[in-house]
Amino acid sequence: MGGFDNSTTGILYRGTKEQIQTEVKRLIDEAGHRGIILGADCTVPRDISYERLNWAIEAAHQG
């Protein structure tokens, strides 16, 4: 469980769609495709854009 930095300086908070989705794919490749929970430690910044979270979800569904 985990993978992303949960700070306001991390890729999930500041990255482009391409950067976020590339990181999702890297994390999944590193951890494997079964029994994985992608996250940002235990929480994300309160003001993170839902669009950024959706980019990560989209990439995770693509595998």
Side-chain angles (χ1 to χ4, degrees):
M1 180 174 170
F4 278 100
D5 178 356
N6 69 347
S7 73
T8 57
T9 61
I11 289 174
L12 191 58
Y13 191 86
R14 295 203 179 267
T16 65
K17 179 177 182 178
E18 182 179 336
Q19 289 171 321
I20 290 169
Q21 292 189 336
T22 297
E23 181 66 0
V24 166
K25 291 173 187 173
R26 186 192 73 74
L27 291 167
I28 291 172
D29 286 345
E30 182 180 292
H33 291 261
R34 293 180 51 94
I36 182 172
I37 300 174
L38 279 178
D41 293 326
C42 62
T43 187
V44 294
R46 301 175 96 174
D47 63 342
I48 193 167
S49 165
Y50 288 123
E51 181 178 44
R52 295 176 173 285
L53 300 175
N54 285 324
W55 293 340
I57 293 165
E58 181 181 283
H61 283 277
Q62 292 172 358

Short mmCIF file of all heavy atoms in Angstrom, two decimals:
data_model
loop_
_atom_site.label_atom_id
_atom_site.label_comp_id
_atom_site.label_asym_id
_atom_site.label_seq_id
_atom_site.Cartn_x
_atom_site.Cartn_y
_atom_site.Cartn_z
N MET A 1 0.84 -1.18 0.00
CA MET A 1 0.00 0.00 0.00
C MET A 1 0.88 1.24 0.00
O MET A 1 1.89 1.28 0.68
CB MET A 1 -0.90 0.02 1.23
CG MET A 1 -1.78 1.22 1.27
SD MET A 1 -2.93 1.12 2.63
CE MET A 1 -3.59 2.75 2.57
N GLY A 2 0.50 2.21 -0.76
CA GLY A 2 1.24 3.46 -0.82
C GLY A 2 1.85 3.68 -2.17
O GLY A 2 1.38 3.17 -3.18
N GLY A 3 2.90 4.45 -2.19
CA GLY A 3 3.62 4.70 -3.43
C GLY A 3 3.86 6.17 -3.72
O GLY A 3 4.96 6.57 -4.06
N PHE A 4 2.83 6.98 -3.57
CA PHE A 4 2.96 8.40 -3.88
C PHE A 4 3.38 9.19 -2.64
O PHE A 4 2.99 8.87 -1.52
CB PHE A 4 1.63 8.98 -4.37
CG PHE A 4 1.36 8.73 -5.82
CD1 PHE A 4 0.52 7.71 -6.21
CD2 PHE A 4 1.93 9.52 -6.79
CE1 PHE A 4 0.24 7.48 -7.54
CE2 PHE A 4 1.68 9.30 -8.13
CZ PHE A 4 0.83 8.28 -8.50
N ASP A 5 4.13 10.25 -2.88
CA ASP A 5 4.45 11.23 -1.85
C ASP A 5 3.15 11.96 -1.52
O ASP A 5 2.39 12.31 -2.42
CB ASP A 5 5.50 12.20 -2.41
CG ASP A 5 5.89 13.31 -1.47
OD1 ASP A 5 5.33 13.41 -0.37
OD2 ASP A 5 6.78 14.08 -1.84
N ASN A 6 2.86 12.18 -0.26
CA ASN A 6 1.61 12.85 0.11
C ASN A 6 1.78 14.34 0.40
O ASN A 6 0.92 14.96 0.97
CB ASN A 6 0.95 12.16 1.31
CG ASN A 6 1.72 12.33 2.59
OD1 ASN A 6 2.87 12.76 2.58
ND2 ASN A 6 1.11 11.97 3.70
N SER A 7 2.89 14.92 -0.05
CA SER A 7 3.13 16.34 0.22
C SER A 7 2.69 17.20 -0.97
O SER A 7 2.37 16.70 -2.04
CB SER A 7 4.62 16.59 0.49
OG SER A 7 5.35 16.49 -0.71
N THR A 8 2.71 18.49 -0.76
CA THR A 8 2.34 19.43 -1.83
C THR A 8 3.48 19.63 -2.83
O THR A 8 3.33 20.40 -3.77
CB THR A 8 1.92 20.79 -1.25
OG1 THR A 8 2.98 21.30 -0.45
CG2 THR A 8 0.65 20.65 -0.42
N THR A 9 4.59 18.94 -2.65
CA THR A 9 5.69 19.03 -3.60
C THR A 9 5.81 17.77 -4.45
O THR A 9 6.65 17.70 -5.34
CB THR A 9 7.03 19.28 -2.88
OG1 THR A 9 7.29 18.19 -1.99
CG2 THR A 9 7.01 20.59 -2.12
N GLY A 10 4.97 16.77 -4.19
CA GLY A 10 5.06 15.49 -4.89
C GLY A 10 4.40 15.50 -6.26
O GLY A 10 3.67 16.42 -6.63
N ILE A 11 4.64 14.43 -7.00
CA ILE A 11 4.10 14.28 -8.35
C ILE A 11 2.57 14.31 -8.36
O ILE A 11 1.96 14.94 -9.22
CB ILE A 11 4.60 12.98 -9.00
CG1 ILE A 11 6.08 13.09 -9.34
CG2 ILE A 11 3.80 12.63 -10.26
CD1 ILE A 11 6.70 11.81 -9.86
N LEU A 12 1.95 13.63 -7.41
CA LEU A 12 0.49 13.57 -7.40
C LEU A 12 -0.13 14.96 -7.24
O LEU A 12 -1.16 15.27 -7.84
CB LEU A 12 0.01 12.65 -6.28
CG LEU A 12 -1.47 12.27 -6.29
CD1 LEU A 12 -1.87 11.59 -7.59
CD2 LEU A 12 -1.80 11.38 -5.11
N TYR A 13 0.52 15.82 -6.49
CA TYR A 13 -0.01 17.18 -6.25
C TYR A 13 0.38 18.16 -7.36
O TYR A 13 -0.41 19.01 -7.75
CB TYR A 13 0.49 17.69 -4.90
CG TYR A 13 -0.20 18.96 -4.45
CD1 TYR A 13 -1.39 18.90 -3.75
CD2 TYR A 13 0.34 20.20 -4.72
CE1 TYR A 13 -2.03 20.05 -3.33
CE2 TYR A 13 -0.29 21.36 -4.30
CZ TYR A 13 -1.48 21.28 -3.61
OH TYR A 13 -2.12 22.42 -3.21
N ARG A 14 1.61 18.05 -7.86
CA ARG A 14 2.13 19.04 -8.81
C ARG A 14 2.35 18.55 -10.23
O ARG A 14 2.52 19.35 -11.13
CB ARG A 14 3.45 19.61 -8.30
CG ARG A 14 3.32 20.39 -7.03
CD ARG A 14 4.48 21.36 -6.91
NE ARG A 14 4.35 22.13 -5.71
CZ ARG A 14 3.76 23.33 -5.66
NH1 ARG A 14 3.25 23.84 -6.73
NH2 ARG A 14 3.68 23.97 -4.52
N GLY A 15 2.36 17.24 -10.42
CA GLY A 15 2.72 16.68 -11.72
C GLY A 15 1.66 16.89 -12.79
O GLY A 15 0.50 17.15 -12.51
N THR A 16 2.11 16.74 -14.02
CA THR A 16 1.19 16.78 -15.15
C THR A 16 0.44 15.45 -15.22
O THR A 16 0.81 14.48 -14.55
CB THR A 16 1.95 16.97 -16.48
OG1 THR A 16 2.78 15.81 -16.69
CG2 THR A 16 2.80 18.23 -16.47
N LYS A 17 -0.56 15.39 -16.05
CA LYS A 17 -1.30 14.14 -16.24
C LYS A 17 -0.34 13.04 -16.67
O LYS A 17 -0.39 11.93 -16.14
CB LYS A 17 -2.41 14.33 -17.27
CG LYS A 17 -3.21 13.06 -17.53
CD LYS A 17 -4.33 13.29 -18.51
CE LYS A 17 -5.15 12.02 -18.69
NZ LYS A 17 -6.29 12.22 -19.59
N GLU A 18 0.52 13.34 -17.61
CA GLU A 18 1.48 12.35 -18.11
C GLU A 18 2.42 11.88 -17.00
O GLU A 18 2.68 10.68 -16.87
CB GLU A 18 2.30 12.94 -19.27
CG GLU A 18 3.28 11.94 -19.85
CD GLU A 18 4.07 12.52 -21.01
OE1 GLU A 18 3.61 13.46 -21.66
OE2 GLU A 18 5.17 12.00 -21.25
N GLN A 19 2.92 12.79 -16.19
CA GLN A 19 3.83 12.41 -15.10
C GLN A 19 3.12 11.52 -14.07
O GLN A 19 3.70 10.53 -13.60
CB GLN A 19 4.38 13.66 -14.40
CG GLN A 19 5.35 14.43 -15.24
CD GLN A 19 5.71 15.78 -14.63
OE1 GLN A 19 4.85 16.47 -14.06
NE2 GLN A 19 6.97 16.15 -14.72
N ILE A 20 1.90 11.88 -13.72
CA ILE A 20 1.14 11.09 -12.74
C ILE A 20 0.88 9.70 -13.28
O ILE A 20 1.08 8.70 -12.60
CB ILE A 20 -0.16 11.82 -12.36
CG1 ILE A 20 0.16 13.07 -11.53
CG2 ILE A 20 -1.11 10.89 -11.60
CD1 ILE A 20 -1.01 14.00 -11.33
N GLN A 21 0.45 9.62 -14.53
CA GLN A 21 0.11 8.33 -15.10
C GLN A 21 1.35 7.47 -15.32
O GLN A 21 1.31 6.25 -15.13
CB GLN A 21 -0.71 8.50 -16.37
CG GLN A 21 -2.08 9.07 -16.03
CD GLN A 21 -3.05 9.07 -17.17
OE1 GLN A 21 -2.68 9.07 -18.34
NE2 GLN A 21 -4.33 9.08 -16.84
N THR A 22 2.45 8.07 -15.66
CA THR A 22 3.71 7.33 -15.79
C THR A 22 4.13 6.77 -14.44
O THR A 22 4.58 5.63 -14.34
CB THR A 22 4.82 8.24 -16.37
OG1 THR A 22 4.42 8.63 -17.69
CG2 THR A 22 6.16 7.54 -16.42
N GLU A 23 3.97 7.55 -13.39
CA GLU A 23 4.33 7.09 -12.04
C GLU A 23 3.42 5.96 -11.59
O GLU A 23 3.88 5.00 -10.97
CB GLU A 23 4.29 8.26 -11.05
CG GLU A 23 4.68 7.88 -9.65
CD GLU A 23 6.13 7.44 -9.46
OE1 GLU A 23 6.90 7.41 -10.44
OE2 GLU A 23 6.49 7.11 -8.31
N VAL A 24 2.14 6.04 -11.90
CA VAL A 24 1.22 4.95 -11.56
C VAL A 24 1.69 3.65 -12.21
O VAL A 24 1.79 2.61 -11.56
CB VAL A 24 -0.23 5.28 -12.00
CG1 VAL A 24 -1.11 4.03 -11.96
CG2 VAL A 24 -0.83 6.36 -11.14
N LYS A 25 2.00 3.72 -13.48
CA LYS A 25 2.45 2.52 -14.21
C LYS A 25 3.75 1.98 -13.62
O LYS A 25 3.93 0.78 -13.48
CB LYS A 25 2.58 2.84 -15.69
CG LYS A 25 1.22 3.07 -16.32
CD LYS A 25 1.32 3.55 -17.75
CE LYS A 25 -0.07 3.92 -18.25
NZ LYS A 25 -0.07 4.55 -19.53
N ARG A 26 4.66 2.87 -13.25
CA ARG A 26 5.92 2.45 -12.65
C ARG A 26 5.67 1.76 -11.31
O ARG A 26 6.25 0.70 -11.03
CB ARG A 26 6.86 3.65 -12.45
CG ARG A 26 8.25 3.25 -11.97
CD ARG A 26 9.07 4.45 -11.51
NE ARG A 26 8.60 4.98 -10.24
CZ ARG A 26 8.80 4.41 -9.05
NH1 ARG A 26 9.44 3.26 -8.95
NH2 ARG A 26 8.35 4.98 -7.94
N LEU A 27 4.82 2.34 -10.50
CA LEU A 27 4.52 1.76 -9.19
C LEU A 27 3.88 0.38 -9.32
O LEU A 27 4.21 -0.54 -8.58
CB LEU A 27 3.61 2.70 -8.39
CG LEU A 27 4.25 4.00 -7.92
CD1 LEU A 27 3.19 4.97 -7.41
CD2 LEU A 27 5.30 3.73 -6.86
N ILE A 28 2.96 0.25 -10.26
CA ILE A 28 2.31 -1.05 -10.47
C ILE A 28 3.31 -2.08 -10.98
O ILE A 28 3.33 -3.22 -10.53
CB ILE A 28 1.10 -0.92 -11.41
CG1 ILE A 28 -0.02 -0.14 -10.69
CG2 ILE A 28 0.61 -2.28 -11.87
CD1 ILE A 28 -1.20 0.23 -11.58
N ASP A 29 4.15 -1.67 -11.91
CA ASP A 29 5.18 -2.59 -12.42
C ASP A 29 6.12 -3.04 -11.31
O ASP A 29 6.53 -4.19 -11.26
CB ASP A 29 5.97 -1.94 -13.55
CG ASP A 29 5.20 -1.86 -14.86
OD1 ASP A 29 4.16 -2.54 -14.99
OD2 ASP A 29 5.63 -1.09 -15.75
N GLU A 30 6.45 -2.12 -10.42
CA GLU A 30 7.36 -2.42 -9.31
C GLU A 30 6.71 -3.35 -8.28
O GLU A 30 7.34 -4.27 -7.77
CB GLU A 30 7.79 -1.12 -8.63
CG GLU A 30 8.77 -1.29 -7.50
CD GLU A 30 9.14 0.04 -6.88
OE1 GLU A 30 9.80 0.85 -7.57
OE2 GLU A 30 8.74 0.28 -5.73
N ALA A 31 5.43 -3.11 -7.98
CA ALA A 31 4.75 -3.86 -6.92
C ALA A 31 4.06 -5.12 -7.41
O ALA A 31 3.78 -6.02 -6.63
CB ALA A 31 3.72 -2.96 -6.24
N GLY A 32 3.77 -5.18 -8.69
CA GLY A 32 3.02 -6.30 -9.23
C GLY A 32 1.57 -5.92 -9.46
O GLY A 32 1.12 -4.88 -9.01
N HIS A 33 0.87 -6.78 -10.14
CA HIS A 33 -0.49 -6.45 -10.56
C HIS A 33 -1.57 -7.08 -9.68
O HIS A 33 -2.75 -6.92 -9.94
CB HIS A 33 -0.70 -6.89 -12.01
CG HIS A 33 0.10 -6.08 -12.97
ND1 HIS A 33 -0.42 -5.03 -13.68
CD2 HIS A 33 1.42 -6.14 -13.32
CE1 HIS A 33 0.51 -4.49 -14.43
NE2 HIS A 33 1.63 -5.14 -14.23
N ARG A 34 -1.18 -7.77 -8.64
CA ARG A 34 -2.16 -8.40 -7.74
C ARG A 34 -1.96 -7.91 -6.31
O ARG A 34 -0.83 -7.78 -5.85
CB ARG A 34 -2.01 -9.91 -7.78
CG ARG A 34 -2.38 -10.53 -9.12
CD ARG A 34 -2.21 -12.03 -9.12
NE ARG A 34 -2.90 -12.67 -8.00
CZ ARG A 34 -4.13 -13.16 -8.05
NH1 ARG A 34 -4.81 -13.10 -9.16
NH2 ARG A 34 -4.66 -13.73 -6.98
N GLY A 35 -3.07 -7.65 -5.64
CA GLY A 35 -3.00 -7.26 -4.24
C GLY A 35 -2.35 -5.92 -3.99
O GLY A 35 -1.74 -5.72 -2.95
N ILE A 36 -2.51 -4.99 -4.89
CA ILE A 36 -1.87 -3.68 -4.75
C ILE A 36 -2.92 -2.62 -4.40
O ILE A 36 -4.04 -2.65 -4.90
CB ILE A 36 -1.11 -3.28 -6.03
CG1 ILE A 36 -0.41 -1.94 -5.86
CG2 ILE A 36 -2.02 -3.27 -7.23
CD1 ILE A 36 0.51 -1.57 -7.00
N ILE A 37 -2.54 -1.73 -3.50
CA ILE A 37 -3.36 -0.56 -3.18
C ILE A 37 -2.48 0.66 -3.38
O ILE A 37 -1.51 0.85 -2.65
CB ILE A 37 -3.88 -0.60 -1.73
CG1 ILE A 37 -4.74 -1.84 -1.50
CG2 ILE A 37 -4.67 0.67 -1.43
CD1 ILE A 37 -5.16 -2.03 -0.05
N LEU A 38 -2.79 1.45 -4.39
CA LEU A 38 -2.04 2.68 -4.63
C LEU A 38 -2.55 3.76 -3.70
O LEU A 38 -3.76 3.90 -3.51
CB LEU A 38 -2.21 3.16 -6.06
CG LEU A 38 -1.36 2.51 -7.12
CD1 LEU A 38 -1.69 3.08 -8.49
CD2 LEU A 38 0.10 2.68 -6.83
N GLY A 39 -1.67 4.52 -3.16
CA GLY A 39 -2.06 5.61 -2.29
C GLY A 39 -0.92 6.58 -2.08
O GLY A 39 0.13 6.46 -2.69
N ALA A 40 -1.15 7.52 -1.20
CA ALA A 40 -0.15 8.51 -0.85
C ALA A 40 0.00 8.47 0.66
O ALA A 40 -0.60 9.26 1.37
CB ALA A 40 -0.56 9.89 -1.33
N ASP A 41 0.76 7.51 1.13
CA ASP A 41 0.83 7.24 2.56
C ASP A 41 -0.59 7.04 3.07
O ASP A 41 -1.30 6.22 2.54
CB ASP A 41 1.61 8.32 3.30
CG ASP A 41 3.09 8.33 2.92
OD1 ASP A 41 3.62 7.23 2.66
OD2 ASP A 41 3.68 9.40 2.87
N CYS A 42 -1.02 7.81 4.05
CA CYS A 42 -2.37 7.57 4.56
C CYS A 42 -3.36 8.65 4.16
O CYS A 42 -4.55 8.55 4.44
CB CYS A 42 -2.34 7.43 6.08
SG CYS A 42 -1.76 8.91 6.91
N THR A 43 -2.91 9.69 3.50
CA THR A 43 -3.81 10.78 3.13
C THR A 43 -3.20 11.61 2.00
O THR A 43 -2.05 11.39 1.62
CB THR A 43 -4.08 11.68 4.36
OG1 THR A 43 -5.07 12.64 4.02
CG2 THR A 43 -2.83 12.39 4.82
N VAL A 44 -3.96 12.53 1.46
CA VAL A 44 -3.47 13.48 0.46
C VAL A 44 -3.78 14.88 0.96
O VAL A 44 -4.65 15.06 1.82
CB VAL A 44 -4.12 13.25 -0.93
CG1 VAL A 44 -3.71 11.92 -1.52
CG2 VAL A 44 -5.63 13.36 -0.87
N PRO A 45 -3.09 15.90 0.43
CA PRO A 45 -3.40 17.27 0.86
C PRO A 45 -4.87 17.59 0.63
O PRO A 45 -5.48 17.17 -0.34
CB PRO A 45 -2.50 18.13 -0.03
CG PRO A 45 -1.35 17.23 -0.38
CD PRO A 45 -1.96 15.87 -0.52
N ARG A 46 -5.44 18.36 1.53
CA ARG A 46 -6.87 18.68 1.50
C ARG A 46 -7.30 19.39 0.23
O ARG A 46 -8.43 19.23 -0.22
CB ARG A 46 -7.23 19.59 2.67
CG ARG A 46 -6.93 18.99 4.00
CD ARG A 46 -7.21 19.98 5.05
NE ARG A 46 -8.55 19.68 5.53
CZ ARG A 46 -9.11 20.26 6.53
NH1 ARG A 46 -8.49 21.20 7.16
NH2 ARG A 46 -10.30 19.91 6.92
N ASP A 47 -6.41 20.17 -0.35
CA ASP A 47 -6.80 20.98 -1.51
C ASP A 47 -6.38 20.36 -2.84
O ASP A 47 -6.41 21.01 -3.87
CB ASP A 47 -6.24 22.39 -1.39
CG ASP A 47 -4.71 22.43 -1.39
OD1 ASP A 47 -4.08 21.38 -1.14
OD2 ASP A 47 -4.16 23.52 -1.62
N ILE A 48 -6.03 19.06 -2.85
CA ILE A 48 -5.63 18.43 -4.11
C ILE A 48 -6.83 18.38 -5.06
O ILE A 48 -7.97 18.17 -4.64
CB ILE A 48 -5.05 17.01 -3.87
CG1 ILE A 48 -4.35 16.52 -5.13
CG2 ILE A 48 -6.13 16.05 -3.41
CD1 ILE A 48 -3.49 15.30 -4.91
N SER A 49 -6.56 18.59 -6.31
CA SER A 49 -7.60 18.55 -7.32
C SER A 49 -8.06 17.11 -7.55
O SER A 49 -7.25 16.21 -7.70
CB SER A 49 -7.04 19.13 -8.63
OG SER A 49 -7.87 18.81 -9.71
N TYR A 50 -9.38 16.90 -7.55
CA TYR A 50 -9.92 15.57 -7.83
C TYR A 50 -9.51 15.09 -9.21
O TYR A 50 -9.40 13.89 -9.45
CB TYR A 50 -11.44 15.55 -7.70
CG TYR A 50 -11.91 15.66 -6.27
CD1 TYR A 50 -12.76 16.68 -5.89
CD2 TYR A 50 -11.52 14.74 -5.32
CE1 TYR A 50 -13.20 16.78 -4.58
CE2 TYR A 50 -11.95 14.84 -4.00
CZ TYR A 50 -12.79 15.86 -3.64
OH TYR A 50 -13.23 15.95 -2.36
N GLU A 51 -9.27 16.03 -10.11
CA GLU A 51 -8.83 15.67 -11.46
C GLU A 51 -7.53 14.89 -11.41
O GLU A 51 -7.36 13.90 -12.12
CB GLU A 51 -8.66 16.94 -12.31
CG GLU A 51 -8.22 16.66 -13.73
CD GLU A 51 -8.11 17.92 -14.55
OE1 GLU A 51 -7.56 18.93 -14.05
OE2 GLU A 51 -8.57 17.90 -15.70
N ARG A 52 -6.61 15.27 -10.54
CA ARG A 52 -5.33 14.58 -10.41
C ARG A 52 -5.53 13.16 -9.90
O ARG A 52 -4.88 12.23 -10.36
CB ARG A 52 -4.41 15.34 -9.46
CG ARG A 52 -4.03 16.70 -10.01
CD ARG A 52 -3.20 17.48 -9.02
NE ARG A 52 -2.73 18.68 -9.67
CZ ARG A 52 -1.76 18.71 -10.57
NH1 ARG A 52 -1.14 17.62 -10.91
NH2 ARG A 52 -1.41 19.83 -11.13
N LEU A 53 -6.42 12.99 -8.95
CA LEU A 53 -6.72 11.65 -8.45
C LEU A 53 -7.35 10.79 -9.54
O LEU A 53 -7.03 9.61 -9.68
CB LEU A 53 -7.63 11.74 -7.23
CG LEU A 53 -7.08 12.53 -6.04
CD1 LEU A 53 -8.13 12.64 -4.95
CD2 LEU A 53 -5.80 11.93 -5.53
N ASN A 54 -8.21 11.41 -10.34
CA ASN A 54 -8.82 10.68 -11.45
C ASN A 54 -7.80 10.26 -12.49
O ASN A 54 -7.94 9.19 -13.09
CB ASN A 54 -9.95 11.50 -12.08
CG ASN A 54 -11.19 11.51 -11.23
OD1 ASN A 54 -11.51 10.51 -10.59
ND2 ASN A 54 -11.90 12.62 -11.22
N TRP A 55 -6.77 11.08 -12.72
CA TRP A 55 -5.72 10.70 -13.67
C TRP A 55 -5.02 9.44 -13.17
O TRP A 55 -4.73 8.53 -13.95
CB TRP A 55 -4.69 11.80 -13.82
CG TRP A 55 -5.18 13.05 -14.47
CD1 TRP A 55 -6.28 13.20 -15.26
CD2 TRP A 55 -4.58 14.34 -14.39
NE1 TRP A 55 -6.39 14.50 -15.68
CE2 TRP A 55 -5.37 15.22 -15.17
CE3 TRP A 55 -3.45 14.84 -13.75
CZ2 TRP A 55 -5.05 16.57 -15.32
CZ3 TRP A 55 -3.14 16.19 -13.90
CH2 TRP A 55 -3.94 17.04 -14.68
N ALA A 56 -4.76 9.37 -11.87
CA ALA A 56 -4.11 8.20 -11.29
C ALA A 56 -5.02 6.97 -11.39
O ALA A 56 -4.58 5.88 -11.76
CB ALA A 56 -3.73 8.47 -9.83
N ILE A 57 -6.28 7.15 -11.10
CA ILE A 57 -7.25 6.05 -11.19
C ILE A 57 -7.34 5.54 -12.64
O ILE A 57 -7.33 4.33 -12.88
CB ILE A 57 -8.63 6.49 -10.68
CG1 ILE A 57 -8.56 6.76 -9.18
CG2 ILE A 57 -9.70 5.48 -11.02
CD1 ILE A 57 -9.75 7.53 -8.63
N GLU A 58 -7.41 6.47 -13.56
CA GLU A 58 -7.49 6.11 -14.98
C GLU A 58 -6.29 5.24 -15.39
O GLU A 58 -6.45 4.21 -16.05
CB GLU A 58 -7.53 7.39 -15.80
CG GLU A 58 -7.65 7.22 -17.29
CD GLU A 58 -7.64 8.57 -17.97
OE1 GLU A 58 -8.69 9.26 -17.93
OE2 GLU A 58 -6.60 8.96 -18.53
N ALA A 59 -5.10 5.65 -14.99
CA ALA A 59 -3.89 4.91 -15.35
C ALA A 59 -3.87 3.54 -14.67
O ALA A 59 -3.44 2.55 -15.28
CB ALA A 59 -2.64 5.71 -14.96
N ALA A 60 -4.35 3.47 -13.45
CA ALA A 60 -4.37 2.18 -12.72
C ALA A 60 -5.32 1.21 -13.42
O ALA A 60 -5.01 0.01 -13.52
CB ALA A 60 -4.78 2.40 -11.27
N HIS A 61 -6.43 1.70 -13.91
CA HIS A 61 -7.38 0.83 -14.61
C HIS A 61 -6.82 0.34 -15.94
O HIS A 61 -7.17 -0.76 -16.37
CB HIS A 61 -8.71 1.54 -14.82
CG HIS A 61 -9.55 1.60 -13.60
ND1 HIS A 61 -10.36 0.55 -13.20
CD2 HIS A 61 -9.70 2.57 -12.67
CE1 HIS A 61 -10.97 0.89 -12.08
NE2 HIS A 61 -10.60 2.10 -11.73
N GLN A 62 -5.95 1.13 -16.54
CA GLN A 62 -5.35 0.73 -17.81
C GLN A 62 -4.28 -0.35 -17.60
O GLN A 62 -3.88 -1.03 -18.52
CB GLN A 62 -4.75 1.93 -18.53
CG GLN A 62 -5.80 2.91 -19.01
CD GLN A 62 -5.19 4.18 -19.54
OE1 GLN A 62 -3.98 4.38 -19.53
NE2 GLN A 62 -6.04 5.08 -20.01
N GLY A 63 -3.81 -0.44 -16.36
CA GLY A 63 -2.85 -1.48 -16.01
C GLY A 63 -1.47 -1.06 -16.23
O GLY A 63 -0.51 -1.67 -16.25
#
